[in-house]
Coordinates of all heavy atoms in Angstrom, one line a residue:
M174 N -24.0 -94.7 -196.6 CA -25.2 -94.4 -195.7 C -25.1 -92.9 -195.4 O -26.2 -92.3 -195.2 CB -25.1 -95.3 -194.5 CG -26.2 -95.0 -193.6 SD -26.5 -96.4 -192.5 CE -27.2 -95.6 -191.1
A175 N -24.0 -92.3 -195.1 CA -23.9 -90.9 -194.7 C -24.6 -90.0 -195.8 O -25.2 -89.0 -195.5 CB -22.5 -90.5 -194.4
N176 N -24.4 -90.3 -197.0 CA -24.9 -89.5 -198.1 C -26.5 -89.6 -198.0 O -27.1 -88.6 -198.2 CB -24.5 -89.9 -199.5 CG -23.0 -89.7 -199.7 OD1 -22.5 -88.8 -199.1 ND2 -22.4 -90.3 -200.6
L177 N -27.0 -90.7 -197.8 CA -28.5 -90.9 -197.6 C -29.0 -90.1 -196.4 O -30.0 -89.3 -196.6 CB -28.9 -92.3 -197.4 CG -30.4 -92.6 -197.2 CD1 -31.2 -92.1 -198.4 CD2 -30.6 -94.1 -196.9
L178 N -28.3 -90.1 -195.3 CA -28.8 -89.4 -194.2 C -28.6 -87.9 -194.5 O -29.5 -87.1 -194.2 CB -27.9 -89.7 -193.0 CG -28.3 -91.1 -192.3 CD1 -27.2 -91.4 -191.2 CD2 -29.6 -91.2 -191.8
E179 N -27.4 -87.5 -195.0 CA -27.3 -86.1 -195.4 C -28.3 -85.6 -196.3 O -28.9 -84.5 -196.2 CB -25.9 -85.9 -195.9 CG -25.5 -84.4 -196.1 CD -24.0 -84.2 -196.4 OE1 -23.3 -85.1 -196.7 OE2 -23.7 -83.1 -196.5
D180 N -28.6 -86.4 -197.4 CA -29.7 -86.0 -198.4 C -31.0 -85.8 -197.7 O -31.7 -84.8 -198.1 CB -29.8 -87.1 -199.5 CG -28.5 -87.2 -200.4 OD1 -27.8 -86.2 -200.4 OD2 -28.4 -88.2 -201.1
I181 N -31.3 -86.7 -196.8 CA -32.6 -86.5 -196.1 C -32.7 -85.3 -195.3 O -33.7 -84.6 -195.3 CB -33.0 -87.8 -195.3 CG1 -33.3 -89.0 -196.2 CG2 -34.1 -87.5 -194.3 CD1 -33.3 -90.3 -195.4
F182 N -31.6 -85.0 -194.6 CA -31.5 -83.8 -193.7 C -31.6 -82.6 -194.6 O -32.3 -81.6 -194.3 CB -30.1 -83.9 -192.9 CG -29.9 -82.7 -192.1 CD1 -30.7 -82.4 -191.0 CD2 -28.9 -81.7 -192.4 CE1 -30.5 -81.3 -190.2 CE2 -28.7 -80.5 -191.6 CZ -29.5 -80.3 -190.5
L183 N -30.8 -82.6 -195.7 CA -30.9 -81.3 -196.5 C -32.2 -81.2 -197.2 O -32.7 -80.1 -197.3 CB -29.8 -81.5 -197.7 CG -28.4 -81.4 -197.1 CD1 -27.4 -81.7 -198.3 CD2 -28.1 -80.1 -196.5
E184 N -33.0 -82.2 -197.5 CA -34.3 -82.2 -198.1 C -35.2 -81.6 -197.0 O -36.0 -80.8 -197.3 CB -34.7 -83.6 -198.5 CG -36.1 -83.6 -199.1 CD -36.4 -85.0 -199.6 OE1 -35.5 -85.7 -200.2 OE2 -37.6 -85.4 -199.4
N185 N -35.1 -82.0 -195.8 CA -36.0 -81.5 -194.7 C -35.7 -80.0 -194.4 O -36.6 -79.3 -194.0 CB -35.8 -82.3 -193.4 CG -36.6 -83.6 -193.5 OD1 -37.6 -83.7 -194.2 ND2 -36.0 -84.6 -192.9
I186 N -34.4 -79.6 -194.5 CA -34.1 -78.1 -194.4 C -35.0 -77.4 -195.4 O -35.5 -76.3 -195.1 CB -32.7 -77.9 -194.6 CG1 -31.9 -78.6 -193.4 CG2 -32.4 -76.4 -194.6 CD1 -30.3 -78.5 -193.7
K187 N -35.0 -77.9 -196.7 CA -35.7 -77.1 -197.7 C -37.2 -77.2 -197.5 O -37.9 -76.1 -197.7 CB -35.3 -77.8 -199.1 CG -33.9 -77.5 -199.6 CD -33.7 -78.2 -200.9 CE -32.2 -78.1 -201.2 NZ -31.9 -78.8 -202.5
K188 N -37.7 -78.3 -197.2 CA -39.1 -78.5 -197.0 C -39.7 -77.9 -195.7 O -40.8 -77.3 -195.7 CB -39.5 -79.9 -196.9 CG -39.5 -80.7 -198.3 CD -40.0 -82.1 -198.1 CE -40.0 -82.8 -199.4 NZ -40.4 -84.3 -199.2
F189 N -38.9 -78.0 -194.6 CA -39.4 -77.6 -193.3 C -38.4 -76.7 -192.5 O -38.1 -77.1 -191.4 CB -39.7 -78.8 -192.5 CG -40.5 -79.9 -193.1 CD1 -39.9 -81.1 -193.5 CD2 -41.9 -79.7 -193.5 CE1 -40.6 -82.1 -194.1 CE2 -42.5 -80.8 -194.2 CZ -41.9 -81.9 -194.5
P190 N -37.9 -75.6 -193.1 CA -36.9 -74.8 -192.5 C -37.2 -74.3 -191.1 O -36.4 -74.3 -190.1 CB -36.6 -73.7 -193.4 CG -37.8 -73.5 -194.3 CD -38.4 -74.9 -194.3
E191 N -38.5 -74.0 -190.8 CA -38.8 -73.4 -189.5 C -39.5 -74.4 -188.6 O -39.9 -74.1 -187.5 CB -39.7 -72.2 -189.7 CG -39.0 -71.0 -190.5 CD -37.7 -70.7 -189.9 OE1 -37.5 -70.6 -188.7 OE2 -36.7 -70.6 -190.7
K192 N -39.6 -75.7 -189.0 CA -40.2 -76.7 -188.2 C -39.2 -77.4 -187.2 O -38.0 -77.3 -187.5 CB -40.8 -77.8 -188.9 CG -42.0 -77.3 -189.9 CD -43.1 -78.4 -189.9 CE -44.1 -77.7 -190.7 NZ -45.4 -78.6 -190.5
P193 N -39.6 -77.7 -186.0 CA -38.6 -78.4 -185.1 C -37.9 -79.6 -185.7 O -38.6 -80.5 -186.1 CB -39.5 -78.7 -183.9 CG -40.7 -77.8 -184.0 CD -40.9 -77.6 -185.5
A194 N -36.6 -79.6 -185.5 CA -35.8 -80.8 -185.9 C -35.4 -81.5 -184.7 O -35.3 -82.8 -184.7 CB -34.6 -80.3 -186.7
L195 N -35.0 -80.7 -183.6 CA -34.7 -81.5 -182.3 C -35.4 -80.8 -181.2 O -35.5 -79.5 -181.2 CB -33.1 -81.2 -182.1 CG -32.1 -82.0 -183.0 CD1 -30.8 -81.6 -182.7 CD2 -32.3 -83.5 -182.9
I196 N -35.9 -81.6 -180.4 CA -36.7 -81.0 -179.3 C -36.1 -81.6 -177.9 O -35.9 -82.8 -177.8 CB -38.1 -81.5 -179.3 CG1 -38.8 -81.0 -180.6 CG2 -38.9 -81.0 -178.1 CD1 -40.2 -81.5 -180.8
S197 N -35.7 -80.7 -177.0 CA -35.2 -81.1 -175.7 C -36.2 -80.7 -174.6 O -37.3 -80.2 -175.0 CB -33.9 -80.4 -175.5 OG -34.1 -79.1 -175.3
K198 N -36.0 -80.9 -173.4 CA -36.9 -80.6 -172.3 C -37.4 -79.2 -172.3 O -38.6 -78.9 -172.2 CB -36.3 -80.9 -171.0 CG -36.1 -82.4 -170.7 CD -35.5 -82.6 -169.3 CE -35.2 -84.0 -169.0 NZ -34.7 -84.3 -167.7
N199 N -36.5 -78.3 -172.5 CA -36.9 -76.8 -172.5 C -36.7 -76.1 -173.7 O -37.0 -74.9 -173.7 CB -36.0 -76.1 -171.4 CG -36.0 -76.8 -170.0 OD1 -37.1 -77.2 -169.6 ND2 -34.9 -77.0 -169.4
D200 N -36.4 -76.7 -174.8 CA -36.2 -75.9 -176.0 C -36.2 -76.8 -177.3 O -36.4 -78.0 -177.2 CB -34.8 -75.2 -176.0 CG -34.6 -74.0 -176.8 OD1 -35.5 -73.6 -177.5 OD2 -33.5 -73.5 -177.0
F201 N -36.1 -76.1 -178.4 CA -36.1 -76.9 -179.6 C -35.2 -76.1 -180.7 O -35.0 -74.9 -180.6 CB -37.5 -77.2 -180.2 CG -38.1 -76.0 -180.7 CD1 -38.0 -75.6 -182.1 CD2 -39.0 -75.3 -179.9 CE1 -38.7 -74.4 -182.6 CE2 -39.6 -74.1 -180.3 CZ -39.5 -73.7 -181.7
L202 N -34.7 -76.9 -181.7 CA -34.0 -76.2 -182.8 C -34.8 -76.5 -184.1 O -35.2 -77.6 -184.3 CB -32.6 -76.8 -182.9 CG -31.5 -76.4 -182.0 CD1 -30.2 -77.1 -182.3 CD2 -31.2 -75.0 -182.1
T203 N -35.0 -75.6 -184.9 CA -35.6 -75.8 -186.3 C -34.5 -76.4 -187.2 O -33.3 -76.4 -186.8 CB -36.1 -74.5 -186.9 OG1 -34.9 -73.6 -187.1 CG2 -37.1 -73.7 -186.0
F204 N -35.0 -76.9 -188.3 CA -34.1 -77.5 -189.3 C -33.0 -76.5 -189.8 O -31.9 -76.8 -189.8 CB -34.9 -78.0 -190.4 CG -35.4 -79.4 -190.1 CD1 -36.7 -79.5 -189.8 CD2 -34.6 -80.6 -190.2 CE1 -37.3 -80.8 -189.6 CE2 -35.2 -81.8 -190.0 CZ -36.5 -82.0 -189.7
S205 N -33.5 -75.2 -189.9 CA -32.5 -74.2 -190.4 C -31.5 -73.9 -189.3 O -30.3 -73.7 -189.6 CB -33.2 -73.0 -190.9 OG -34.0 -72.3 -189.9
E206 N -31.9 -73.8 -188.1 CA -31.0 -73.6 -186.9 C -30.0 -74.7 -186.8 O -28.8 -74.5 -186.6 CB -31.8 -73.4 -185.6 CG -32.6 -72.0 -185.5 CD -33.5 -72.0 -184.4 OE1 -34.0 -73.0 -183.9 OE2 -33.8 -70.8 -183.9
L207 N -30.5 -75.9 -186.8 CA -29.6 -77.0 -186.8 C -28.6 -77.1 -187.9 O -27.4 -77.4 -187.7 CB -30.5 -78.4 -186.8 CG -29.8 -79.8 -186.7 CD1 -28.9 -79.8 -185.4 CD2 -30.8 -80.8 -186.7
N208 N -29.0 -76.7 -189.1 CA -28.1 -76.6 -190.2 C -27.0 -75.6 -189.9 O -25.9 -75.8 -190.2 CB -28.9 -76.4 -191.5 CG -28.1 -76.5 -192.7 OD1 -27.3 -77.4 -192.9 ND2 -28.1 -75.5 -193.6
E209 N -27.5 -74.4 -189.5 CA -26.5 -73.3 -189.2 C -25.5 -73.7 -188.1 O -24.3 -73.6 -188.3 CB -27.2 -72.1 -188.8 CG -28.0 -71.4 -189.8 CD -28.9 -70.3 -189.2 OE1 -28.6 -69.8 -188.2 OE2 -29.8 -69.9 -190.0
K210 N -26.0 -74.4 -187.1 CA -25.1 -74.7 -186.0 C -24.1 -75.9 -186.4 O -22.9 -75.9 -186.1 CB -25.8 -75.2 -184.7 CG -26.5 -74.0 -184.1 CD -27.3 -74.5 -182.9 CE -28.0 -73.4 -182.1 NZ -27.1 -72.5 -181.4
S211 N -24.6 -76.8 -187.2 CA -23.8 -77.9 -187.6 C -22.8 -77.4 -188.7 O -21.7 -77.9 -188.8 CB -24.6 -79.1 -188.2 OG -25.4 -78.7 -189.3
N212 N -23.1 -76.5 -189.5 CA -22.1 -75.9 -190.4 C -21.1 -75.2 -189.7 O -19.9 -75.3 -190.1 CB -22.9 -74.8 -191.5 CG -23.7 -75.5 -192.5 OD1 -23.5 -76.7 -192.8 ND2 -24.6 -74.8 -193.2
L213 N -21.4 -74.4 -188.7 CA -20.4 -73.7 -187.9 C -19.4 -74.7 -187.3 O -18.2 -74.5 -187.3 CB -21.0 -72.9 -186.9 CG -20.1 -72.0 -186.0 CD1 -19.2 -71.0 -186.9 CD2 -20.9 -71.2 -185.0
L214 N -20.0 -75.7 -186.7 CA -19.2 -76.7 -186.1 C -18.3 -77.5 -187.0 O -17.1 -77.8 -186.8 CB -20.0 -77.7 -185.2 CG -19.3 -78.7 -184.4 CD1 -18.3 -78.0 -183.5 CD2 -20.3 -79.6 -183.6
A215 N -18.8 -77.8 -188.2 CA -18.0 -78.4 -189.4 C -16.9 -77.6 -189.7 O -15.7 -78.1 -190.0 CB -19.0 -78.8 -190.5
Q216 N -17.1 -76.3 -189.8 CA -15.9 -75.3 -190.1 C -14.9 -75.4 -189.0 O -13.7 -75.4 -189.3 CB -16.6 -73.9 -190.3 CG -17.3 -73.7 -191.5 CD -18.0 -72.4 -191.5 OE1 -17.9 -71.6 -190.6 NE2 -18.8 -72.2 -192.6
N217 N -15.4 -75.4 -187.8 CA -14.5 -75.6 -186.7 C -13.6 -76.8 -186.7 O -12.4 -76.8 -186.4 CB -15.2 -75.4 -185.3 CG -15.6 -74.0 -185.0 OD1 -15.1 -73.0 -185.6 ND2 -16.6 -73.9 -184.3
F218 N -14.3 -77.9 -187.0 CA -13.6 -79.2 -187.1 C -12.6 -79.1 -188.2 O -11.4 -79.6 -188.1 CB -14.5 -80.4 -187.4 CG -15.4 -80.8 -186.2 CD1 -16.7 -81.2 -186.3 CD2 -14.8 -80.8 -184.9 CE1 -17.4 -81.6 -185.2 CE2 -15.5 -81.2 -183.8 CZ -16.7 -81.6 -184.0
N219 N -12.9 -78.5 -189.4 CA -12.0 -78.4 -190.5 C -10.8 -77.5 -190.1 O -9.7 -77.9 -190.4 CB -12.7 -77.8 -191.8 CG -13.5 -78.7 -192.5 OD1 -13.1 -79.9 -192.7 ND2 -14.6 -78.3 -193.1
S220 N -11.1 -76.5 -189.4 CA -9.9 -75.6 -188.9 C -9.0 -76.4 -188.0 O -7.8 -76.1 -187.8 CB -10.4 -74.3 -188.3 OG -11.0 -74.6 -187.0
L221 N -9.5 -77.5 -187.3 CA -8.7 -78.3 -186.4 C -8.0 -79.3 -187.2 O -7.2 -80.2 -186.6 CB -9.6 -78.9 -185.3 CG -10.1 -78.0 -184.3 CD1 -11.1 -78.7 -183.4 CD2 -9.0 -77.3 -183.4
G222 N -8.2 -79.4 -188.5 CA -7.6 -80.4 -189.4 C -8.4 -81.8 -189.6 O -7.9 -82.7 -190.1
I223 N -9.6 -81.8 -189.0 CA -10.4 -83.0 -189.3 C -10.9 -83.0 -190.6 O -11.5 -81.9 -191.1 CB -11.6 -83.1 -188.2 CG1 -10.9 -83.2 -186.8 CG2 -12.3 -84.3 -188.5 CD1 -11.9 -83.1 -185.7
K224 N -10.8 -84.0 -191.4 CA -11.1 -84.1 -192.8 C -11.9 -85.5 -193.1 O -12.0 -86.3 -192.2 CB -9.9 -83.9 -193.7 CG -8.8 -84.8 -193.5 CD -7.5 -84.4 -194.2 CE -6.4 -85.3 -194.1 NZ -6.1 -85.7 -192.6
K225 N -12.3 -85.5 -194.3 CA -12.9 -86.7 -194.8 C -12.1 -88.0 -194.5 O -11.0 -88.0 -194.6 CB -13.2 -86.6 -196.3 CG -14.1 -87.7 -196.9 CD -14.4 -87.4 -198.3 CE -15.5 -88.5 -198.7 NZ -16.0 -88.2 -200.1
K226 N -12.9 -89.0 -194.0 CA -12.4 -90.3 -193.6 C -11.5 -90.3 -192.3 O -11.1 -91.4 -191.9 CB -11.6 -90.9 -194.7 CG -12.5 -91.2 -196.0 CD -11.7 -92.0 -197.0 CE -12.6 -92.3 -198.2 NZ -12.0 -93.0 -199.2
D227 N -11.4 -89.1 -191.6 CA -10.7 -89.2 -190.4 C -11.7 -89.8 -189.3 O -12.8 -89.6 -189.3 CB -10.4 -87.7 -189.9 CG -9.1 -87.1 -190.5 OD1 -8.4 -88.0 -191.3 OD2 -8.9 -86.0 -190.3
K228 N -11.1 -90.6 -188.4 CA -11.9 -91.2 -187.4 C -12.0 -90.3 -186.2 O -11.0 -89.7 -185.7 CB -11.2 -92.5 -186.9 CG -11.2 -93.6 -188.0 CD -10.5 -94.9 -187.4 CE -10.6 -96.0 -188.4 NZ -9.9 -97.1 -187.9
V229 N -13.3 -90.0 -185.8 CA -13.5 -89.1 -184.7 C -14.4 -89.9 -183.7 O -15.4 -90.4 -183.9 CB -14.3 -87.9 -185.1 CG1 -14.6 -87.0 -183.9 CG2 -13.5 -87.1 -186.3
L230 N -13.8 -90.0 -182.5 CA -14.5 -90.7 -181.3 C -15.5 -89.6 -180.7 O -15.1 -88.6 -180.4 CB -13.4 -91.1 -180.3 CG -14.1 -91.9 -179.2 CD1 -13.3 -93.3 -179.2 CD2 -13.7 -91.2 -177.9
I231 N -16.7 -90.1 -180.5 CA -17.7 -89.3 -179.9 C -18.1 -89.8 -178.5 O -18.5 -91.0 -178.4 CB -19.0 -89.4 -180.8 CG1 -18.7 -88.7 -182.1 CG2 -20.1 -88.5 -180.1 CD1 -18.5 -87.3 -182.2
L232 N -17.9 -89.0 -177.5 CA -18.2 -89.4 -176.1 C -19.0 -88.3 -175.5 O -18.6 -87.6 -174.7 CB -17.0 -89.7 -175.4 CG -17.1 -90.3 -174.0 CD1 -17.9 -91.6 -174.0 CD2 -15.8 -90.5 -173.4
I233 N -20.3 -88.1 -176.1 CA -21.1 -87.0 -175.8 C -22.5 -87.7 -175.4 O -23.0 -88.5 -176.1 CB -21.3 -86.0 -176.9 CG1 -20.1 -85.4 -177.3 CG2 -22.4 -84.9 -176.4 CD1 -20.3 -84.5 -178.6
P234 N -23.0 -87.2 -174.1 CA -24.3 -87.9 -173.8 C -25.4 -87.4 -174.8 O -25.2 -86.5 -175.6 CB -24.6 -87.3 -172.4 CG -23.6 -86.3 -172.2 CD -22.5 -86.4 -173.2
V235 N -26.5 -88.2 -174.8 CA -27.5 -87.9 -175.7 C -28.1 -86.6 -175.4 O -28.5 -86.3 -174.3 CB -28.7 -89.0 -175.7 CG1 -29.8 -88.6 -176.5 CG2 -28.1 -90.4 -176.0
S236 N -28.0 -85.7 -176.4 CA -28.3 -84.3 -176.1 C -28.4 -83.5 -177.6 O -28.1 -84.1 -178.6 CB -27.2 -83.6 -175.3 OG -26.0 -83.6 -176.0
V237 N -28.8 -82.4 -177.5 CA -28.9 -81.5 -178.8 C -27.5 -81.4 -179.3 O -27.2 -81.6 -180.5 CB -29.5 -80.2 -178.5 CG1 -29.3 -79.3 -179.7 CG2 -31.0 -80.4 -178.1
E238 N -26.5 -81.3 -178.4 CA -25.1 -81.1 -178.9 C -24.6 -82.4 -179.6 O -23.8 -82.3 -180.5 CB -24.2 -80.8 -177.6 CG -24.4 -79.4 -177.1 CD -25.7 -79.3 -176.2 OE1 -26.2 -80.3 -175.8 OE2 -26.1 -78.2 -175.9
L239 N -25.0 -83.6 -179.1 CA -24.6 -84.8 -179.7 C -25.1 -84.8 -181.2 O -24.4 -85.1 -182.2 CB -25.2 -86.0 -179.1 CG -25.0 -87.3 -179.8 CD1 -23.5 -87.7 -179.8 CD2 -25.9 -88.4 -179.1
Y240 N -26.3 -84.4 -181.5 CA -26.8 -84.4 -182.9 C -26.3 -83.3 -183.7 O -26.0 -83.5 -184.9 CB -28.4 -84.3 -182.8 CG -29.0 -85.5 -182.2 CD1 -29.5 -85.6 -180.9 CD2 -29.2 -86.7 -183.0 CE1 -30.0 -86.7 -180.4 CE2 -29.8 -87.8 -182.5 CZ -30.1 -87.9 -181.2 OH -30.7 -88.9 -180.7
I241 N -25.9 -82.2 -183.2 CA -25.2 -81.1 -183.9 C -23.8 -81.6 -184.3 O -23.4 -81.5 -185.5 CB -25.1 -79.9 -183.1 CG1 -26.5 -79.2 -182.9 CG2 -24.1 -78.9 -183.8 CD1 -26.5 -78.1 -181.8
T242 N -23.2 -82.3 -183.4 CA -21.8 -82.9 -183.6 C -22.0 -84.0 -184.7 O -21.1 -84.0 -185.6 CB -21.2 -83.4 -182.3 OG1 -21.2 -82.4 -181.4 CG2 -19.8 -83.9 -182.6
F243 N -22.8 -84.8 -184.6 CA -23.0 -85.9 -185.5 C -23.2 -85.4 -186.9 O -22.5 -85.8 -187.9 CB -24.2 -86.8 -185.2 CG -24.5 -87.9 -186.2 CD1 -23.8 -89.0 -186.3 CD2 -25.6 -87.6 -187.1 CE1 -24.1 -89.9 -187.2 CE2 -26.0 -88.5 -187.9 CZ -25.2 -89.8 -188.1
I244 N -24.1 -84.4 -187.1 CA -24.3 -83.8 -188.4 C -23.2 -83.1 -188.9 O -22.9 -83.2 -190.2 CB -25.6 -82.9 -188.3 CG1 -26.9 -83.8 -188.1 CG2 -25.8 -82.1 -189.7 CD1 -28.1 -83.0 -187.7
A245 N -22.4 -82.3 -188.1 CA -21.3 -81.6 -188.5 C -20.2 -82.5 -189.1 O -19.7 -82.3 -190.2 CB -20.7 -80.8 -187.4
L246 N -19.9 -83.7 -188.3 CA -19.0 -84.7 -188.8 C -19.5 -85.3 -190.0 O -18.7 -85.8 -191.0 CB -18.6 -85.6 -187.6 CG -17.9 -85.1 -186.5 CD1 -17.9 -86.0 -185.3 CD2 -16.4 -84.7 -186.9
M247 N -20.7 -85.6 -190.2 CA -21.3 -86.2 -191.3 C -21.1 -85.3 -192.6 O -20.8 -85.9 -193.6 CB -22.8 -86.4 -191.2 CG -23.5 -87.1 -192.3 SD -25.2 -87.4 -192.1 CE -25.8 -85.7 -192.0
K248 N -21.2 -84.1 -192.4 CA -21.1 -83.1 -193.5 C -19.6 -83.1 -194.0 O -19.4 -82.8 -195.2 CB -21.5 -81.6 -193.0 CG -23.0 -81.5 -192.9 CD -23.3 -80.1 -192.5 CE -24.9 -79.9 -192.4 NZ -25.2 -78.5 -192.3
I249 N -18.7 -83.3 -193.1 CA -17.2 -83.3 -193.6 C -16.9 -84.7 -194.0 O -15.7 -84.8 -194.5 CB -16.3 -82.6 -192.6 CG1 -16.2 -83.4 -191.3 CG2 -16.6 -81.2 -192.4 CD1 -15.2 -82.8 -190.4
G250 N -17.6 -85.7 -193.8 CA -17.3 -87.0 -194.2 C -16.4 -87.7 -193.3 O -15.8 -88.7 -193.7
A251 N -16.3 -87.3 -192.0 CA -15.5 -88.1 -191.0 C -16.1 -89.4 -190.7 O -17.4 -89.5 -190.8 CB -15.3 -87.1 -189.8
V252 N -15.4 -90.3 -190.2 CA -15.8 -91.6 -189.7 C -16.1 -91.4 -188.3 O -15.3 -91.1 -187.4 CB -14.8 -92.7 -189.9 CG1 -15.3 -94.0 -189.3 CG2 -14.4 -92.8 -191.4
I253 N -17.5 -91.5 -187.9 CA -17.9 -91.3 -186.5 C -17.9 -92.6 -185.7 O -18.5 -93.5 -186.2 CB -19.4 -90.6 -186.6 CG1 -19.3 -89.3 -187.4 CG2 -19.8 -90.4 -185.1 CD1 -20.7 -88.8 -187.9
I254 N -17.2 -92.6 -184.6 CA -17.2 -93.7 -183.7 C -17.9 -93.4 -182.4 O -17.4 -92.5 -181.8 CB -15.7 -94.1 -183.5 CG1 -15.0 -94.4 -184.8 CG2 -15.7 -95.3 -182.5 CD1 -13.6 -94.6 -184.7
F255 N -19.0 -94.0 -182.2 CA -19.7 -93.8 -180.9 C -19.2 -94.7 -179.8 O -18.9 -95.9 -180.2 CB -21.2 -94.0 -181.1 CG -21.8 -93.0 -181.9 CD1 -22.1 -93.2 -183.3 CD2 -22.3 -91.7 -181.4 CE1 -22.7 -92.2 -184.0 CE2 -22.9 -90.7 -182.1 CZ -23.1 -91.0 -183.5
V256 N -19.0 -94.2 -178.6 CA -18.4 -95.1 -177.6 C -19.4 -95.1 -176.4 O -19.9 -94.1 -175.9 CB -17.0 -94.5 -177.1 CG1 -16.5 -95.3 -176.0 CG2 -16.1 -94.5 -178.3
D257 N -19.5 -96.3 -175.9 CA -20.3 -96.5 -174.7 C -19.4 -96.0 -173.5 O -18.3 -96.5 -173.4 CB -20.6 -97.9 -174.5 CG -21.4 -98.3 -173.3 OD1 -21.5 -97.4 -172.3 OD2 -22.0 -99.4 -173.1
P258 N -19.9 -95.1 -172.7 CA -19.0 -94.5 -171.6 C -18.5 -95.6 -170.7 O -17.5 -95.4 -169.9 CB -19.9 -93.5 -170.9 CG -21.1 -93.5 -171.6 CD -21.2 -94.4 -172.7
W259 N -19.1 -96.8 -170.6 CA -18.7 -97.8 -169.7 C -17.7 -98.8 -170.3 O -17.3 -99.6 -169.6 CB -20.0 -98.6 -169.3 CG -21.0 -97.6 -168.7 CD1 -22.2 -97.3 -169.2 CD2 -20.9 -97.0 -167.5 NE1 -22.8 -96.5 -168.5 CE2 -22.1 -96.2 -167.3 CE3 -19.9 -96.8 -166.5 CZ2 -22.3 -95.3 -166.3 CZ3 -20.2 -95.9 -165.4 CH2 -21.4 -95.2 -165.3
M260 N -17.2 -98.6 -171.6 CA -16.3 -99.5 -172.2 C -15.0 -99.3 -171.5 O -14.6 -98.2 -171.0 CB -16.2 -99.1 -173.7 CG -17.3 -99.5 -174.5 SD -17.0 -99.0 -176.3 CE -15.8 -100.1 -176.8
K261 N -14.2 -100.4 -171.5 CA -12.8 -100.3 -171.0 C -12.0 -99.6 -172.0 O -12.3 -99.6 -173.2 CB -12.3 -101.7 -170.9 CG -12.9 -102.5 -169.7 CD -12.4 -103.8 -169.6 CE -13.1 -104.7 -168.5 NZ -12.6 -106.0 -168.3
F262 N -10.9 -99.0 -171.5 CA -10.0 -98.2 -172.4 C -9.5 -99.1 -173.6 O -9.4 -98.6 -174.7 CB -8.9 -97.6 -171.7 CG -8.0 -96.8 -172.5 CD1 -8.3 -95.5 -172.9 CD2 -6.7 -97.2 -172.9 CE1 -7.5 -94.8 -173.8 CE2 -5.9 -96.5 -173.7 CZ -6.3 -95.2 -174.2
S263 N -9.2 -100.3 -173.3 CA -8.6 -101.2 -174.4 C -9.6 -101.5 -175.4 O -9.3 -101.5 -176.6 CB -8.2 -102.6 -173.7 OG -9.3 -103.2 -173.2
N264 N -10.9 -101.5 -175.1 CA -11.9 -101.6 -176.1 C -12.1 -100.4 -177.0 O -12.3 -100.4 -178.2 CB -13.3 -102.1 -175.5 CG -13.2 -103.5 -175.0 OD1 -12.3 -104.3 -175.4 ND2 -14.2 -103.8 -174.1
I265 N -12.1 -99.2 -176.3 CA -12.1 -97.9 -177.0 C -11.0 -97.8 -177.9 O -11.1 -97.4 -179.1 CB -12.1 -96.7 -176.0 CG1 -13.4 -96.8 -175.2 CG2 -12.0 -95.4 -176.6 CD1 -13.4 -95.8 -174.0
S266 N -9.8 -98.2 -177.5 CA -8.6 -98.1 -178.3 C -8.7 -99.0 -179.6 O -8.4 -98.7 -180.7 CB -7.4 -98.5 -177.5 OG -6.2 -98.4 -178.2
K267 N -9.3 -100.2 -179.4 CA -9.5 -101.1 -180.5 C -10.5 -100.4 -181.5 O -10.4 -100.6 -182.7 CB -10.0 -102.5 -180.1 CG -9.0 -103.3 -179.5 CD -9.6 -104.6 -178.9 CE -8.5 -105.3 -178.2 NZ -9.0 -106.6 -177.6
S268 N -11.5 -99.8 -181.0 CA -12.5 -99.0 -181.9 C -11.8 -98.0 -182.8 O -12.4 -97.7 -183.9 CB -13.5 -98.3 -181.0 OG -14.3 -99.2 -180.3
L269 N -10.7 -97.4 -182.4 CA -10.0 -96.5 -183.3 C -9.1 -97.0 -184.3 O -8.5 -96.3 -185.2 CB -9.3 -95.5 -182.4 CG -10.1 -94.7 -181.5 CD1 -9.3 -93.9 -180.5 CD2 -11.1 -93.7 -182.2
E270 N -8.8 -98.3 -184.2 CA -7.9 -98.9 -185.2 C -8.6 -99.1 -186.6 O -9.7 -99.1 -186.8 CB -7.5 -100.3 -184.7 CG -6.6 -100.2 -183.4 CD -6.2 -101.6 -182.9 OE1 -6.7 -102.6 -183.5 OE2 -5.5 -101.6 -181.9

């Protein structure tokens, strides 16, 4: 599924580089800006040793940063685990197994 999402994202970068990809209350990111920010974050994750098939727990509120992080991890092929902030620690721990 990540390949399909990544393919769609990359296709939209080519087709609509200057169109808004993410819109927040006060700002927006174009597809090209989103691509640049997610590439930089993917490089940072790689420098931390995160690689394909590594499990990465995401505990970021819905925001532009969440989507940048999601795309960056998708680009390196990490397994993204979203966690409900209200989950008990034991359930979060099970999610990482």
Side-chain angles (χ1 to χ4, degrees):
M174 182 161 154
N176 288 339
L177 177 61
L178 289 174
E179 188 173 3
D180 290 344
I181 291 169
F182 178 67
L183 293 173
E184 185 177 316
N185 282 329
I186 293 167
K187 290 177 187 174
K188 284 184 178 178
F189 314 111
E191 299 309 313
K192 294 217 176 197
L195 292 175
I196 301 171
S197 67
K198 288 182 183 179
N199 302 320
D200 202 8
F201 69 90
L202 285 179
T203 65
F204 280 99
S205 61
E206 291 169 332
L207 180 57
N208 188 48
E209 289 171 20
K210 288 180 182 287
S211 62
N212 282 341
L213 181 61
L214 187 55
Q216 291 171 2
N217 288 334
F218 285 144
N219 278 326
S220 71
L221 293 171
I223 298 172
K224 57 191 178 308
K225 189 174 187 170
K226 296 189 180 180
D227 281 352
K228 292 180 181 179
V229 179
L230 184 122
I231 300 290
L232 189 57
I233 301 173
V235 175
S236 61
V237 170
E238 290 78 14
L239 172 67
Y240 291 101
I241 293 169
T242 303
F243 173 80
I244 293 168
L246 291 168
M247 180 182 66
K248 286 180 176 190
I249 60 176
V252 177
I253 305 164
I254 302 169
F255 291 97
V256 176
D257 181 346
W259 305 110
M260 286 176 71
K261 293 181 181 179
F262 182 76
S263 60
N264 291 342
I265 293 171
S266 183
K267 287 178 187 176
S268 297
L269 294 171
E270 293 176 0

